[in-house]
Amino acid sequence: MAIGSLPSMSKGEFKSASSNNGVVLNGENNLSKVLHMSSGSGESSYAQNSSRQSSVFKSMQPAFYRLIQSLPIENHSGVLRIADLGCATGMNTVSEVDFVVTTIKELCSKRGLSIPELQVFFNDLPCNDFNGLFMLLNSLKPDYMAAGVPRSFYQVLFPQGSIHICFSMMGLHWLSQVPKCVGNEGLCFYNRGKVWINGGRAEVARAYAEQSQKDLREFFRWRGHEMAKGGVMFICAMGRPNGANAEHQVTPEGEYCGPDFEAAWDDLISEGIVSSETRDGFNLPWYFPSTDEMREAIEASGTFEIVKLEVCSGVCCMEEREYGEWVSDVESFGKKKARLVRSFVGSLVENAIGVENCNALFERMGRRSTEMLEKGLLRPSRFAPCVIAALVRR
């Protein structure tokens, strides 16, 4: 799908209206200074709220296994290098790499090959909890060499031709920056009254679509540079079906940052805690691409063969028993939903309005989630719409 051009933004770039004077999020370097999954092991931490991501990865394992099988391991008898892009922290990170390492060892055994030395690179933005990750690795004593790469994966990360297996789980729907124009009140792209594009105006969604395409092209350009010939790359990110308008990113109820999250901002405004300008200056750096958009970016790099590329609407992110518990207690649901959302966007909210107001926002989100579930305005799903790509470096 071709995406139209946006006007030049030489003047009037978005300025933060935050009372906290937080970092402006309309530049890649700026977002890198702020964004991270919630650190530590508290009730709102990413470590305590990432069981969904773990379930998604388990659903992806058969496809990822088949892709790794196609890797010519016999050509890499020295060091085989693995890169986890957007690694976050906690046991999910470790278990995903363990799956890759176990698969390699199994394939070597079946083919009568000696196991090469394994080097794993954990990549994420500089604010990621690398300390927590490497303390965990130190306690587990894995049988591979590990290194951290604190940088955006929309930039160059590794030497040319050095990576053999690369994967990114639930990361590529994060943009490198919020499109500048959506915070400019003088343009039709101004995202007034909202904090994301889901259920919003087509003009705003178009700005996000162009930013996403630019980012994806940079991602595949650099991965084409860094991966060895015959190397494999597996991607799973939030996605949407081809033909679905970009302003309809998820279900109308908004399983993630939907109407309950938006309503919490409205509550803070009506109570005089934050201004409407502050809310309008806060926009989530997310975009869920279609397979057509993903294909366009992959093919633009000219370096990858597409083995598999599809959107799956039925990727299980919660077991049936857990889902039943999730929705049966409506008050508990609201609190858990607020903690879940805070675990991955809390750093952005704190930057925009401060810790105290962030606490207030997610307290109100919890109440709103409970109210909307009771009224049937939220219909949570235990499935996630994901775009999946299995690629081989030509």
Side-chain angles (χ1 to χ4, degrees):
M1 179 180 75
I3 298 173
S5 298
L6 294 173
S8 171
M9 292 300 300
S10 59
K11 293 196 271 185
E13 293 183 354
F14 162 52
K15 301 294 182 184
S16 174
S18 167
S19 59
N20 191 46
N21 295 318
V23 174
V24 178
L25 301 181
N26 68 347
E28 184 170 351
N29 290 335
N30 289 341
L31 190 63
S32 295
K33 295 175 183 177
V34 174
L35 176 60
H36 60 86
M37 303 298 101
S38 293
S39 304
S41 57
E43 65 176 14
S44 294
S45 67
Y46 181 79
Q48 295 297 321
N49 291 276
S50 54
S51 62
R52 290 186 174 207
Q53 292 89 328
S54 176
S55 295
V56 169
F57 183 72
K58 288 177 182 176
S59 298
M60 297 294 105
Q61 286 180 357
F64 195 8
Y65 181 87
R66 289 191 293 271
L67 181 66
I68 297 174
Q69 279 185 310
S70 68
L71 180 72
I73 297 177
E74 58 276 5
N75 295 342
H76 307 296
S77 56
V79 179
L80 194 146
R81 299 180 182 88
I82 303 161
D84 178 357
L85 307 186
C87 64
T89 190
M91 282 305 302
N92 280 2
T93 304
V94 175
S95 62
E96 289 167 8
V97 169
D98 282 350
F99 169 80
V100 177
V101 169
T102 299
T103 301
I104 292 169
K105 290 179 178 178
E106 179 184 320
L107 295 176
C108 286
S109 176
K110 287 181 177 179
R111 299 174 188 179
L113 303 171
S114 59
I115 298 172
E117 288 189 288
L118 300 174
Q119 185 173 22
V120 177
F121 296 99
F122 293 95
N123 158 256
D124 213 311
L125 295 176
C127 291
N128 183 57
D129 186 11
F130 283 105
N131 282 343
L133 173 59
F134 280 95
M135 287 176 66
L136 178 61
L137 287 172
N138 185 61
S139 68
L140 296 174
K141 296 179 171 48
D143 53 353
Y144 52 79
M145 295 169 280
V149 184
R151 199 178 196 196
S152 168
F153 54 43
Y154 295 119
Q155 301 172 334
V156 63
L157 300 173
F158 308 108
Q160 183 174 2
S162 62
I163 302 299
H164 306 101
I165 299 176
C166 177
F167 68 96
S168 179
M169 293 298 301
M170 306 304 282
L172 266 181
H173 52 267
W174 287 93
L175 301 175
S176 69
Q177 63 184 67
V178 174
K180 296 176 182 179
C181 57
V182 304
N184 189 308
E185 192 170 1
L187 295 177
C188 65
F189 305 101
Y190 187 55
N191 198 22
R192 187 187 302 277
K194 294 187 65 61
V195 296
W196 191 32
I197 60 175
N198 193 52
R201 294 183 295 112
E203 295 90 346
V204 179
R206 186 159 65 88
Y208 270 78
E210 181 163 291
Q211 181 65 53
S212 173
Q213 186 63 205
K214 177 182 177 182
D215 286 343
L216 290 174
R217 288 181 180 230
E218 285 296 287
F219 178 88
F220 290 113
R221 180 170 77 93
W222 287 121
R223 303 300 83 78
H225 169 83
E226 296 160 353
M227 293 192 67
K229 290 185 178 180
V232 298
M233 178 159 61
F234 189 82
I235 292 167
C236 177
M238 295 298 293
R240 71 183 201 283
N242 288 325
N245 292 335
E247 59 268 30
H248 301 307
Q249 292 279 291
V250 293
T251 61
E253 298 81 19
E255 180 63 11
Y256 297 93
C257 291
D260 45 1
F261 186 63
E262 301 268 8
W265 283 92
D266 291 337
D267 289 343
L268 293 192
I269 293 168
S270 65
E271 295 169 35
I273 296 175
V274 301
S275 68
S276 59
E277 291 79 13
T278 296
R279 187 266 312 280
D280 294 346
F282 178 87
N283 287 279
L284 292 169
W286 285 352
Y287 184 82
F288 300 172
S290 67
T291 53
D292 284 347
E293 290 168 323
M294 187 72 78
R295 184 184 301 276
E296 183 177 346
I298 295 169
E299 292 180 346
S301 75
T303 53
F304 291 101
E305 174 189 349
I306 298 175
V307 177
K308 183 185 185 72
L309 179 60
E310 64 182 18
V311 168
C312 297
S313 59
V315 177
C316 180
C317 61
M318 188 177 288
E319 296 300 325
E320 192 168 356
R321 177 192 56 79
E322 183 184 0
Y323 174 77
E325 295 173 354
W326 170 255
V327 298
S328 60
D329 184 336
V330 291
E331 185 172 347
S332 174
F333 167 84
K335 293 176 181 178
K336 290 179 180 178
K337 174 83 181 287
R339 289 199 294 265
L340 169 69
V341 173
R342 184 168 188 168
S343 73
F344 48 81
V345 301
S347 62
L348 302 180
V349 177
E350 287 184 13
N351 173 72
I353 62 176
V355 176
E356 184 177 346
N357 290 342
C358 179
N359 293 338
L361 178 80
F362 285 104
E363 187 274 332
R364 284 152 182 78
M365 180 187 173
R367 290 190 308 194
R368 288 291 197 159
S369 298
T370 292
E371 292 170 3
M372 291 181 177
L373 183 67
E374 289 178 317
K375 295 177 181 178
L377 300 176
L378 282 179
R379 294 190 292 275
S381 173
R382 66 186 189 94
F383 300 99
C386 295
V387 60
I388 302 157
L391 311 173
V392 175
R393 176 65 168 87
R394 293 190 179 117

